[in-house]
Amino acid sequence: MDEQLKSNLTSSKHWLRLVYMVLFSIFLQVSSLVMWVLVAVQFLFALITGKDNVNLRRFGDSLSQYIYQALRFLTYNTEDKPFPFADWPESSVVAAPAEDKVVEQEIIEKGSES
């Protein structure tokens, strides 16, 4: 048992992961700050224009995926390192705003009434 502990403590693999974990912890803190700024800007945009900004929504989606990837790495749920050691996550947000779907549904409903 003593030999196993000594082997673990001197393993460069564990210490290198610690360096990555500190680095991704810093990235995670910065990402969280950017996310809160994004939330505030998106809210103001929606308040002023009456609808959200699709580009901000896409960026928010990809940023939230990055935060998820970083948390998975930090909690030992994956060995895959997130950006900048991998590609930035792609957004899965559909380009059409939600209001267009509501208007389209209302048109379909009115057309079926006549």
Side-chain angles (χ1 to χ4, degrees):
M1 187 73 159
D2 234 4
E3 192 63 37
Q4 180 66 33
L5 178 61
K6 182 178 179 181
S7 173
N8 288 341
L9 289 174
T10 59
S11 171
S12 61
K13 174 183 153 191
H14 295 293
W15 294 106
L16 184 59
R17 184 174 175 99
L18 176 65
V19 171
Y20 284 125
M21 290 174 74
V22 169
L23 180 69
F24 285 116
S25 295
I26 294 168
F27 289 167
L28 187 59
Q29 292 301 313
V30 172
S31 301
S32 295
L33 179 63
V34 171
M35 183 63 81
W36 280 113
V37 170
L38 178 69
V39 166
V41 170
Q42 184 72 294
F43 176 76
L44 290 173
F45 194 95
L47 192 64
I48 293 168
T49 65
K51 59 183 178 180
D52 65 325
N53 183 297
V54 176
N55 292 326
L56 290 177
R57 191 167 8 125
R58 284 183 184 146
F59 178 66
D61 183 56
S62 64
L63 182 60
S64 65
Q65 289 180 43
Y66 173 75
I67 290 170
Y68 175 70
Q69 290 173 356
L71 285 172
R72 285 185 45 82
F73 180 78
L74 289 171
T75 58
Y76 282 80
N77 285 297
T78 184
E79 292 296 320
D80 299 332
K81 296 173 199 71
F83 181 84
F85 298 97
D87 292 336
W88 183 260
E90 299 234 357
S91 173
S92 59
V93 171
V94 179
E99 290 87 17
D100 290 349
K101 292 179 183 176
V102 172
V103 171
E104 184 178 315
Q105 183 64 29
E106 288 174 359
I107 292 170
I108 291 171
E109 289 173 0
K110 286 182 182 179
S112 65
E113 291 174 3
S114 4

